[in-house]
Amino acid sequence: MDISTSNRSSQACARGLRRFSINTWLLPLFIALAGCSSAHYTVNHAREAEASERRYSINRLDTGDNSDSLLVMLSFSGGGYRAAALSYGVLAALAETRVRWDGKDKRLLDEVDLIASASGGSLTAAYYGLYRDRIFDRFETEVLAADLQSKVIARSLSPYGLWRQSSLRFGRGDLLQEVLDEHVFQGKTFADLPRQRPMLFINATEMKTGERFEFTQDQFDLLCSDLGKFPLSRAVAASMAAPLVFSPITLWNHSQSCPLSQKPLPLHSGVHAQKFVHLLDGGLHDNTGIKTALEIAEARGSIVGMAKAANMQGIRKRVFIIVNAQTVPELPEDSSPNTPGLYRQLKAFIDIPIDLHSSGSVQALYSTISHWKNELRSYSTEEIGGTYERDVDFYVVEINLRAADKASGLSRLQDIGVTLQLDPGDIELLKSFGKVQLEKSAEWQRLMRDIGPGTEGR
C-alpha cells in the first residue's frame, strides 16, 4: 500500500464517519477506533547523482585547529537524560582542559575527531555536532532542564495524537521525532551540520538483523538515500527508540532505482537486501558506541585503510574516551523472596543483553588495540603510507557511572531511571561526576603527562 492508496482509504473512511451525528470532540476517538488516520512518518529521500558534493564523511570535513597526529574519539552510551547529562559533563571537562600540541595551545575538545553515540548519548552528540560551543550556554536550559518526557506523553495521549497513531505508518517514535525537532533541532538536517571535525556517528539498531546502523552517508549508500536531507531529530529518535516505549523508525530502500554505480562501503549490515528498514534503540547492539571504530576499521580492511580513507597522516596518539551511563540500581525485588513482577522481568529482559554487549564491546576494543599494534609493526613503510607512526600510543579512558556507589557517596545516581526528565540537582551531580571520573582515570592521567598543559607534543 503506497501513500496515495492510504490517503484514499482514509478519506473514504472519514466520509463514512461524518454520517454519524456525534459531538466534535468525539470524532478523533471514533476515527482512531476505525483506523482512519492518514498520518505518515518522514520518508528518507532517494540519492541524486550530484548529491556527493555535500557528502557527510570525515575526509570532507575541515580540520581547523584539529591535528591528525592526535586522534581522539568520544563514545557516548545510552541511558536517557542520565546519559545526556553525563556526556555533557565530559564535553565541558574537555573544553576546560588546555593542552599544547604540535606547537599550539588549545582545548583538548578541539582535538576531538569522532563522536559515536547510542540512545540518550545521541542527544548530546547531535546537539554538540550541530551547535558546537553553544552547547555550554544553552543545553542545560533548552534540553536537560526541559521535561521532554511529559511533552511526548501529552502528545501521545492527546486525541490528535491517538488519531495519528491509528495509522499503520505513524507511531510513538515519530512523535518523539516531532518533539525533538520542535524543542531541540528546529528542523535541521545533516546538511546543516558544520563541515568541520568532529564527525558524528549516531547509532541505531536494525530490527531484523540486530546489526548497528550508523547515520552516515556510507550507510545511506546501501539504501541509495541522501543523508543530507535527513532530519537530525529523526536520527536521534531512531537512536533512542527503546522497544515497547517508542515505535521503530522506518527507512525506505531506494536502491532499485539508484542512479549511482559505485560500490558502497561493506559495513556490517544487511539493510541493502531489505525493502524497508526498521530501526530501534542503538543501545541494543552496542550501548557504549565503541563498536563504531572497530567496525569501520574492519570495513576499510585495517586501521591504516581507515586512516587513508579519512586522509589522515602522522597519527602519533589515538585516544578513546568512553562515557558509560549504565547503572546498577538497588530495586526492591532484588532483595525480596517474592517472585519478581512483570516490570522487573521486562527490565531484566532489556538490561541483561545490553550490559553483556557493552562489557564485550569494551573488551573487544582492548583486544583489537593489541591486534592493531601488531599490525602496524608488521606493515612495511610503504603499506603504512605515513598514516601512523609505528610506535603510536593508544589510550582508553573509561568514565563509568557504576563507580557512583555507596563508597563514593553518589549512590543516588544509580537510581536515576532512563527518562527524558531530570531534577536540577541530578544534572549537577552527573556533570560533576563525569569531570571527577575523567580526572581520576589512570589512562587520562597518563595522557595528560604525555600531552599535558605546557608540554608540546613530541
Side-chain angles (χ1 to χ4, degrees):
M1 181 174 68
D2 59 22
I3 300 175
S4 59
T5 302
S6 175
N7 287 341
R8 287 196 297 271
S9 299
S10 297
Q11 291 168 1
C13 183
R15 285 196 297 271
L17 283 174
R18 281 198 294 270
R19 297 172 187 169
F20 291 93
S21 177
I22 57 177
N23 293 329
T24 302
W25 68 272
L26 284 175
L27 184 59
L29 178 59
F30 275 87
I31 294 176
L33 293 174
C36 290
S37 172
S38 60
H40 204 292
Y41 53 74
T42 304
V43 176
N44 52 300
H45 291 263
R47 280 285 307 276
E48 298 176 0
E50 65 274 12
S52 61
E53 294 180 4
R54 293 286 292 168
R55 185 179 184 86
Y56 187 59
S57 58
I58 188 69
N59 59 6
R60 292 177 179 266
L61 302 185
D62 292 336
T63 58
D65 286 335
N66 185 303
S67 68
D68 287 352
S69 55
L70 179 57
L71 176 53
V72 181
M73 175 180 175
L74 310 180
S75 62
F76 296 159
S77 83
Y81 265 15
R82 184 184 71 218
L86 182 63
S87 52
Y88 169 63
V90 172
L91 280 179
L94 295 178
E96 295 171 1
T97 303
R98 305 293 305 187
V99 298
R100 183 169 176 80
W101 183 254
D102 282 348
K104 294 182 179 180
D105 293 312
K106 60 180 70 176
R107 307 179 305 175
L108 189 56
L109 181 61
D110 297 324
E111 280 291 335
V112 174
D113 301 273
L114 309 166
I115 303 178
S117 63
S119 198
S122 293
L123 191 56
T124 306
Y127 194 100
Y128 177 69
L130 179 63
Y131 299 120
R132 301 301 166 101
D133 277 7
R134 168 178 156 179
I135 193 172
F136 304 118
D137 298 322
R138 302 188 181 183
F139 188 65
E140 285 189 59
T141 55
E142 290 184 356
V143 181
L144 295 181
D147 185 357
L148 293 188
Q149 180 162 299
S150 293
K151 291 178 173 61
V152 173
I153 292 174
R155 187 165 301 203
S156 299
L157 298 180
S158 69
Y160 183 54
L162 291 170
W163 172 65
R164 287 194 295 165
Q165 290 172 79
S166 71
S167 169
L168 295 177
R169 299 190 178 180
F170 195 88
R172 292 184 303 278
D174 306 300
L175 289 173
L176 173 62
Q177 175 197 344
E178 288 184 353
V179 171
L180 290 172
D181 204 52
E182 292 172 15
H183 296 278
V184 182
F185 298 109
Q186 286 82 47
K188 301 296 185 182
T189 68
F190 277 83
D192 295 308
L193 289 174
R195 275 355 191 218
Q196 187 171 353
R197 295 181 192 174
M199 181 176 174
L200 298 183
F201 290 84
I202 297 172
N203 293 307
T205 301
E206 200 281 302
M207 190 168 73
K208 182 176 181 179
T209 65
E211 296 290 351
R212 183 179 64 89
F213 185 98
E214 63 183 41
F215 284 89
T216 64
Q217 189 56 61
D218 284 328
Q219 182 82 73
F220 266 49
D221 283 346
L222 295 171
L223 305 176
C224 193
S225 187
D226 185 359
L227 179 69
K229 297 178 181 179
F230 197 79
L232 282 167
S233 57
R234 190 160 180 79
V236 175
S239 188
M240 298 174 67
L244 304 180
V245 179
F246 297 111
S247 59
I249 296 296
T250 300
L251 302 180
W252 292 27
N253 190 339
H254 302 285
S255 57
Q256 289 185 342
S257 57
C258 190
L260 307 173
S261 58
Q262 69 262 32
K263 190 175 181 180
L265 186 67
L267 296 168
H268 274 256
S269 178
V271 299
H272 63 284
Q274 300 177 41
K275 190 172 183 180
F276 301 100
V277 178
H278 306 291
L279 301 176
L280 293 169
D281 193 304
L284 297 176
H285 177 80
D286 173 28
N287 197 47
T288 64
I290 202 61
K291 275 190 177 180
T292 301
L294 309 184
E295 293 180 2
I296 292 175
E298 184 178 347
R300 295 291 184 185
S302 65
I303 57 167
V304 170
M306 182 172 64
K308 288 180 178 178
N311 294 332
M312 289 186 171
Q313 291 284 306
I315 300 171
R316 304 201 296 277
K317 297 186 183 298
R318 184 156 185 189
V319 183
F320 298 91
I321 300 178
I322 304 170
V323 185
N324 191 342
Q326 289 175 277
T327 60
V328 186
E330 292 188 8
L331 299 175
E333 296 91 339
D334 298 333
S335 56
S336 169
N338 299 333
T339 301
L342 181 60
Y343 169 77
R344 185 66 186 93
Q345 295 175 52
L346 287 173
K347 183 172 175 58
F349 179 75
I350 294 173
D351 287 352
I352 290 174
I354 289 177
D355 290 351
L356 291 175
H357 280 309
S358 298
S359 177
S361 297
V362 175
Q363 292 305 313
L365 173 62
Y366 283 105
S367 176
T368 304
I369 287 174
S370 178
H371 169 73
W372 285 340
K373 289 179 178 179
N374 292 331
E375 190 176 73
L376 289 171
R377 283 193 290 265
S378 68
Y379 280 179
S380 67
T381 301
E382 290 73 22
E383 287 174 320
I384 293 177
T387 55
Y388 280 87
E389 289 191 356
R390 287 188 188 277
D391 60 348
V392 58
D393 286 327
F394 289 88
Y395 306 79
V396 180
V397 181
E398 294 185 67
I399 295 95
N400 197 323
L401 196 55
R402 289 185 171 179
D405 53 20
K406 290 181 178 179
S408 70
L410 293 172
S411 57
R412 157 74 190 125
L413 297 182
Q414 296 289 340
D415 298 324
I416 300 175
V418 181
T419 67
L420 295 179
Q421 61 183 29
L422 279 178
D423 292 332
D426 290 336
I427 295 174
E428 290 303 316
L429 276 177
L430 287 162
K431 283 171 51 186
S432 61
F433 178 84
K435 180 178 180 180
V436 169
Q437 288 300 115
L438 185 70
E439 294 172 348
K440 287 172 61 176
S441 165
E443 280 288 271
W444 172 262
Q445 293 170 11
R446 182 169 73 91
L447 176 64
M448 288 297 98
R449 286 194 298 270
D450 292 345
I451 63 165
T455 302
E456 182 176 342
R458 293 178 285 108

